[in-house]
Amino acid sequence: MLGMNKKALAILMRTKMRPLSPASQSKISHMQLSPGGGNKLSTQNANASTNTEREFEVVRESMNSAITMNKTEVLDALLNDFSEGYFSLSGENRRKLLLILAREHDLNRTQVHELIKQYLGLEIPHAEPTNHEEESRLAAFYRVERNLRQALKPMYEVLFERLNTHPGGLRFLSIIRADIVSILEEESIASLRALDSYLKEKLITWLSPAALELHQITWDDPASLLEKIVAYEAVHPISNLIDLKRRLGVGRRCFGYLHPAIPG
C-alpha cells in the first residue's frame, strides 16, 4: 500500500497541470480584483493617513497654544507636548509645520504699514525742542518708533523666547534650525528664510561665549559628550573611545567649554 502511494505520488508530480478553463480564469480574475481585499488595504492606508494627520494637528495646536497661552502654570506642559510631538513627526510634516510657523506667526504687516504711514506723516522737530509744541512732536516720534519696534517682532519670537528658558529648549531650538537649514538647501522659501535668520540671531545671542562654562571632562561624563569629543576634536585627534579613556586616565586633565543648557 505504501509502495502504491509512492508510485501514485510520483505519477502525480510528473503529470502536467492542465490549463485553466476560461470559466476558471474568469473566476480567479474576479477573486483577485474583488473589492474586498482592495478595500481592506485601502482602509488601512486611509486609517494610517488619518492618524498621521490627526497627530500633526495635535502638534500644530500645541505649538499655537505655546505661542498664545499666558498661563505660566500650563506653559511648561504645552512646551513639552510641542517638543515631544515635533520629534514624532515625519520629515515632510516637520516641513509643513515650520512653514505654518513662518507664515501664520509672522509679524503683522498691516499694522507695520499703518505705523509707517503715521511715522511719515509726522513733522520732524528741531534737534533741541524750544517750546511745548516741538516737545509734543518729538514725543509723537518716540511713541510711533516704540510701537513700530514692537510691531516688527514676529509672533514666533514668543515661542523662541519661551523655549530658551524651558529645560532642553535650547537644544530643541538648535534641532529646529538644523531642520530649517536642511529644507532651505533644497528650496528657497522667503518666509522660511526669514524664520531661519531670526532664529539664527537669537541662537547667536543665547550661545554667546560669555555663557559658556569651563568643565573638566572625565570618563563619567555622558556617553553622548564623550562621543562628540572623539568625533570633533581637531587639535589632538582621538581614534576612538578607548583612546579617549587613556587620555582621561590618572594624572591627565581635559577641559572643555560647555553651555549649561546643552551640557552634552
Side-chain angles (χ1 to χ4, degrees), residues 6-65:
K6 287 183 177 180
K7 184 177 180 181
L9 180 60
I11 294 172
L12 181 62
M13 292 178 66
R14 288 197 300 268
T15 302
K16 293 183 179 180
M17 295 184 64
R18 295 179 181 177
L20 293 174
S21 64
S24 299
Q25 290 180 349
S26 176
K27 184 177 180 180
I28 291 177
S29 298
H30 178 72
M31 291 172 62
Q32 291 175 338
L33 300 176
S34 63
N39 283 347
K40 184 176 181 181
L41 183 59
S42 299
T43 301
Q44 291 175 346
N45 291 336
N47 289 339
S49 177
T50 301
N51 290 337
T52 301
E53 188 63 28
R54 187 181 298 114
E55 291 171 358
F56 174 81
E57 289 301 326
V58 169
V59 179
R60 176 180 180 175
E61 184 59 34
S62 66
M63 180 183 73
N64 293 341
S65 299

Side-chain angles (χ1 to χ4, degrees), residues 114-232:
E114 289 299 321
L115 288 169
I116 291 175
K117 286 173 60 178
Q118 292 179 30
Y119 193 79
L120 294 176
L122 295 175
E123 183 179 348
I124 300 177
H126 296 291
E128 296 182 3
T130 57
N131 54 49
H132 179 71
E133 183 178 353
E134 290 185 350
E135 187 69 37
S136 298
R137 291 176 185 172
L138 189 60
F141 267 93
Y142 287 139
R143 181 174 61 255
V144 176
E145 287 166 353
R146 182 182 64 249
N147 294 338
L148 190 56
R149 282 195 298 271
Q150 189 64 32
L152 285 171
K153 293 180 180 179
M155 288 183 285
Y156 47 68
E157 181 192 54
V158 176
L159 180 64
F160 296 161
E161 295 282 355
R162 289 176 172 179
L163 281 172
N164 178 47
T165 58
H166 184 69
L170 193 55
R171 182 195 296 271
F172 179 38
L173 286 171
S174 301
I175 294 172
I176 288 178
R177 180 159 191 264
D179 288 343
I180 296 173
V181 171
S182 178
I183 296 170
L184 290 175
E185 287 177 350
E186 298 181 359
E187 52 184 328
S188 181
I189 305 172
S191 58
L192 202 59
R193 195 167 294 281
L195 176 69
D196 174 63
S197 178
Y198 201 88
L199 179 54
K200 179 181 178 181
E201 291 178 3
K202 289 293 184 181
L203 289 174
I204 288 174
T205 301
W206 294 330
L207 295 174
S208 166
L212 300 180
E213 297 178 353
L214 186 64
H215 173 76
Q216 181 176 355
I217 309 297
T218 70
W219 189 246
D220 295 326
D221 279 320
S224 59
L225 174 60
L226 299 179
E227 289 171 354
K228 287 178 182 176
I229 294 174
V230 172
Y232 298 111

Side-chain angles (χ1 to χ4, degrees), residues 83-101:
S83 59
E84 292 174 3
Y86 183 87
F87 287 124
S88 71
L89 296 177
S90 64
E92 179 58 31
N93 275 341
R94 287 190 185 188
R95 175 186 178 279
K96 183 178 175 182
L97 187 71
L98 290 172
L99 284 174
I100 290 173
L101 178 63

